[in-house]
Amino acid sequence: MSGAPYIRVGFLGFGTVGSGAYRMLEDNREAIARKVGAEIEVVRIGVRDEAKKRCASPSLLTTDLGSVVDHREIDVIVEAMGGLDPAGELIERALRRGKHVVTANKELIARRGAELVGLAARQGLDLHYEAAVGGGIPLIQPIKHQLAGNDILRMAGILNGTTNLILSRMTDEGEPLETVLAEAQGKGYAEADPSSDVDGHDVQFKLAILSSVAFGKAVRPEQIYREGIRGIEQADIAYAKTLGYVIKLLGIVEAVEGGSILGRVHPTLLPKAHPLAAVGGVYNALCLRGDFVGDVTFMGRGAGGEATGSAVVGDLIDVCRNMRIGGSGDAAPFSGEANARPIEELTSAYYVRVVVPDRPLVLGAIATIFGRRNVSLSAMEMRVIDTKLNHGEIAFLTHRCLEADLRQAVEELRHAPEVLRVCNWIRVETL
Ligand code: NAP
Ligand code: HSE
């Protein structure tokens, strides 16, 4: 687009996400310039190792990240390096220097979003973070804009590509967690420390961000209950299948009475007919319920350079359009802190798997323990697992009950003479 003005951009980080965004800017340069009414020019790229081979000219690279945020001609900073610091310090410095910011950093936004969004708003600048949640799926902007008139009642989603790939392949191919995790790392899906994916921290960060945007109050990650997928065994996957379910790592948040929220991240048994049950591989999806709009489902690739690069570039285009009309489109700071309820107050159905001696009265004793805690059973699968020792395994499904009651029942089962081992217990989502 000859004669069009230039908007100059600096990148902090040029790994999976940074290079994905850069390639999109290069490949779709003309169309993007037409849509923005200006050329987007990347003038500096901050990295750790200048010697690495990249898809951008070596002349753009620097290891001096401060020089990127301080660069006089740069209007917008794209942060795709990850971690709390130096990323946080650099974003703050960029905002104080009057530069708009686009970031993919979910940990930083989950922990310091309220403060940084507030700073951006006071500075009259944009701070966009669409890529931080759900990879290429537009989630933040629709919730912040088109759905903003609704009271959000509930959100439930598959929000981590790595663990969804792992659980899908454990289910479909019987592959072990470690093998699929190595593949996810090779494809650039996993976090720098993959325990963030496997232990549920990544979803906790994403759910904190989504909740803050949806409920308009800052939700800290620690206000969201968290479990990862390390405890899921092939036996759980097999029983779930027999009972008509699949196991997914979900992030779920609900508005509860009195203006509080209850947020949680954990493996979940999903009925096969549930809209999230068929979301496999690296795909993510979010089911949202608003008081006026009703149920809305978003789905798409949740990780990887191209999908996430698309979200970064979308944010960048939005910033550039706002710059062209001289206004910030993002000023939506959170008002105060959310009040969160503990997981013990959850009402849910549950799956419980135990190993027992295969002899009379065992089943009755277990049913009595559940019954004493107001937990009513809805289904059961059993099999002999050791004919020599005469050991059997039973998988129970319960009706909906209070989590505090279920936990007490499980604790009692652990000490009951009729139970050799409580192998696992998992929450069950109903339709
Ligand atoms: P990555 O591939 O490891 O890339 C990180 C980049 O940042 C690299 O270019 C690295 O430089 C640079 N970097 C990191 N620390 C640095 C430091 N202290 N000084 C200078 N440069 C530094 O990571 P990524 O997967 O692109 O993820 C980046 C961010 O996006 C993270 O916050 C992540 O959570 C988020 N995210 C990732 C995805 C995904 O699918 N991967 C999706 C959504 C959001 P070198 O290249 O020289 O090592
Ligand atoms: N590690 C993350 C995932 C990247 O696997 O979903 C996308 O946020």
Side-chain angles (χ1 to χ4, degrees), residues 225 254 256-258 260-264 339-348 350 400-407 427:
Y225 174 83
E254 280 147 315
V256 293
E257 261 172 47
S260 301
I261 61 155
L262 202 163
R264 51 199 169 103
N339 183 24
R341 305 306 308 163
I343 191 73
E344 287 76 10
E345 292 183 12
L346 176 72
T347 299
S348 174
Y350 296 86
R400 283 165 67 80
C401 62
L402 192 63
E403 172 132 348
D405 289 338
L406 189 280
R407 282 174 181 254
R427 295 165 193 86

Side-chain angles (χ1 to χ4, degrees), residues 56-230:
S57 161
S59 66
L60 297 178
L61 303 177
T62 178
T63 53
D64 179 0
L65 274 59
S67 74
V68 182
V69 292
D70 294 341
H71 196 297
R72 283 234 196 113
E73 289 179 356
I74 287 178
D75 308 291
V76 190
I77 294 293
V78 170
E79 186 273 308
M81 55 192 290
L84 289 179
D85 277 317
E89 292 160 9
L90 290 164
I91 287 180
E92 193 178 334
R93 185 157 142 192
L95 290 169
R96 292 197 190 282
R97 293 213 179 343
K99 297 175 197 311
H100 304 277
V101 173
V102 171
T103 178
N105 192 330
K106 72 278 308 238
E107 179 172 10
L108 181 67
I109 294 299
R111 296 205 182 282
R112 293 188 55 198
E115 171 205 338
L116 293 171
V117 169
L119 174 61
R122 286 195 300 281
Q123 296 281 88
L125 295 164
D126 279 333
L127 169 58
H128 282 331
Y129 44 90
E130 185 63 67
V133 187
I137 316 172
L139 292 175
I140 305 289
Q141 293 285 31
I143 294 172
K144 201 191 284 178
H145 297 288
Q146 286 78 10
L147 297 168
N150 287 267
D151 270 350
I152 304 299
L153 307 175
R154 188 176 208 267
M155 294 186 287
I158 295 169
L159 296 171
N160 183 272
T162 300
T163 46
N164 202 43
L165 183 71
I166 292 171
L167 289 174
S168 301
R169 292 271 287 280
M170 283 175 75
T171 304
D172 299 340
E173 322 285 344
E175 286 188 53
L177 183 151
E178 295 74 20
T179 309
V180 192
L181 176 58
E183 183 184 324
Q185 287 177 292
K187 288 182 169 159
Y189 300 156
E191 294 303 302
D193 173 3
S195 62
S196 182
D197 299 289
V198 174
D199 295 325
H201 298 280
D202 181 76
V203 180
Q204 191 185 37
F205 296 144
K206 289 166 172 169
L207 195 62
I209 296 172
L210 281 179
S211 304
S212 301
V213 176
F215 300 111
K217 291 185 179 215
V219 177
R220 284 178 289 108
E222 293 72 25
Q223 291 180 293
I224 290 170
Y225 174 83
R226 174 190 57 80
E227 279 173 30
I229 64 164
R230 286 189 208 271

Side-chain angles (χ1 to χ4, degrees), residues 257-276:
E257 261 172 47
S260 301
I261 61 155
L262 202 163
R264 51 199 169 103
V265 175
H266 51 71
T268 310
L269 262 73
L270 278 178
K272 284 180 185 157
H274 192 284
L276 296 176

Side-chain angles (χ1 to χ4, degrees), residues 232 246-252 264-270 426-429:
I232 301 299
V246 291
I247 301 181
K248 297 282 185 190
L249 180 69
L250 293 196
I252 304 173
R264 51 199 169 103
V265 175
H266 51 71
T268 310
L269 262 73
L270 278 178
I426 306 174
R427 295 165 193 86
V428 178
E429 186 81 345

